[in-house]
Amino acid sequence: MKLRSRPVALGLAALAFSALVFGRAQAGGGHYYPPVADPLVKEECGSCHLAFAPAMLPAKSWQRVMNGLKNHFGDDASVDPAQAERIAAYLVANAADTGGRRYGGKLLRGVATADAPLRITELPKWVGEHRNVPDWEWRHKDVNSKANCAACHADAARGYYDE
Amino acid sequence: MNLQTAAIVLSLSLTLATAAAAGPREDQLAQYAAAAKATTPAFAGFSAARGEALHRQKFAGGKPATPSCASCHADDPRSAGRTPAGKTIEPAAVSLSPARYTDAAKVEKWFKRNCNDVLGRECTPLEKGDWLAYVASR
């Protein structure tokens, strides 16, 4: 009897554990950033790099990004004015600090409300979360850029940035 | 009379041939051809071979990270490419990505960006047409 119940107990334990992990993944454990849902934004912001979740930066940052597309981190990413307006509206409406949204709140920790940082990878929280990633991993040919979230976060495109 | 009939038949069949090949991609190629002819009267059509050479050629005028089309689009357009930020680019070859180059504004947008990045200048209609002829042939 004792021997028989053992596999059941083990199974239950495994189930409980995966439920815990799954539950955390679903909740995001603070690592869930809703992916871009708008097709135009997905196309224009997601051709060269992952279409970064608007909840990763405050509204002010997105306005700065959209006002500087002619020199977008060294690239000319300009789009026609009507499209730019639609994209900006979407990014601002879904920004980290819009309407008391809770997603992205953690990523804004340490960012002053008056600030409008341009690089997600320079947010204090982002830097802290990635402090243990060694230099050679960043330079690995499959990573190449800190903007390449999906190289390590396999589910980044779906919004999950757990390890 | 006979000549007239022949002319009608000829123009009819030409219209039909054009109609058969017509599509957004062909329309855009025709526009590039007209522009190429305007600058170079000796222009005698686009060449996939010239397009392939252009695809692989390394330029010094653009960004150091992207010296050629092949830097991001792979040497062989039938392979997937990759952007410097790690995004996969679907193959440039029309045989594998049949929906490509059917939106004229999108084609122009990417020629403008990519030619500036690779060559440090905009591409000529001849270069655009040759390159399109190349990826359409692959």
Side-chain angles (χ1 to χ4, degrees):
Chain A
M1 195 62 187
K2 222 180 168 190
L3 261 169
R4 272 198 159 180
S5 63
R6 216 166 164 193
V8 178
L10 267 175
L12 275 174
L15 207 72
F17 180 72
S18 49
L20 188 79
V21 170
F22 185 68
R24 275 192 51 171
Q26 284 293 79
H31 290 111
Y32 176 70
Y33 298 87
V36 169
D38 184 295
L40 173 69
V41 180
K42 231 189 237 178
E43 163 89 20
E44 291 299 334
C45 309
S47 297
C48 302
H49 54 68
L50 175 83
F52 301 119
M56 289 184 167
L57 286 174
K60 274 200 189 90
S61 294
W62 290 122
Q63 277 154 349
R64 258 187 91 197
V65 167
M66 292 306 295
N67 286 331
L69 286 183
K70 190 86 189 139
N71 181 4
H72 183 67
F73 305 103
D75 281 316
D76 180 357
S78 41
V79 293
D80 78 60
Q83 288 189 333
E85 208 170 298
R86 274 182 54 197
I87 295 167
Y90 178 87
L91 295 172
V92 166
N94 294 284
D97 58 345
T98 299
R101 218 170 290 278
R102 74 188 176 88
Y103 296 124
K106 274 187 173 173
L107 208 44
L108 291 195
R109 205 175 281 164
V111 177
T113 40
D115 283 356
L118 284 180
R119 285 179 192 272
I120 294 163
T121 55
E122 284 172 3
L123 301 175
K125 180 71 181 166
W126 189 98
V127 173
E129 290 275 335
H130 295 83
R131 67 189 177 280
N132 290 330
V133 179
D135 212 39
W136 67 264
E137 276 190 44
W138 291 122
R139 280 176 302 157
H140 191 280
K141 66 171 176 50
D142 292 336
V143 181
N144 194 42
S145 159
K146 284 187 180 171
N148 190 3
C149 312
C152 305
H153 302 285
D155 257 349
R158 293 199 304 130
Y160 296 101
Y161 292 83
D162 292 281
E163 274 154 73
Chain B
M1 189 65 180
N2 249 346
L3 206 67
Q4 216 172 10
T5 317
I8 289 168
V9 168
L10 186 69
S11 67
L12 250 177
S13 58
L14 270 177
T15 313
L16 282 173
T18 319
R25 201 156 42 222
E26 289 74 18
D27 287 350
Q28 198 163 18
L29 267 172
Q31 277 178 28
Y32 289 145
K37 198 151 183 74
T39 48
T40 319
F43 169 75
F46 294 122
S47 146
R50 276 198 311 260
E52 177 168 9
L54 175 73
H55 182 77
R56 290 162 190 264
Q57 190 180 338
K58 288 202 163 84
F59 295 88
K63 292 193 177 138
T66 54
S68 70
C69 309
S71 311
C72 296
H73 287 289
D75 278 338
D76 178 355
R78 288 189 197 174
S79 304
R82 219 173 84 115
T83 72
K87 265 250 128 131
T88 300
I89 308 174
E90 60 176 304
V94 171
S95 62
L96 286 162
S97 309
R100 269 191 183 276
Y101 323 114
T102 53
D103 174 345
K106 192 173 170 181
V107 171
E108 271 295 287
K109 178 181 92 178
W110 286 106
F111 268 134
K112 184 164 176 247
R113 284 181 184 173
N114 295 347
C115 291
N116 271 325
D117 282 351
V118 170
L119 296 90
R121 60 166 172 83
E122 293 206 17
C123 288
T124 64
L126 181 69
E127 287 167 333
K128 292 176 187 175
D130 283 346
W131 191 84
L132 279 178
Y134 171 52
V135 292
S137 75
R138 296 286 295 152

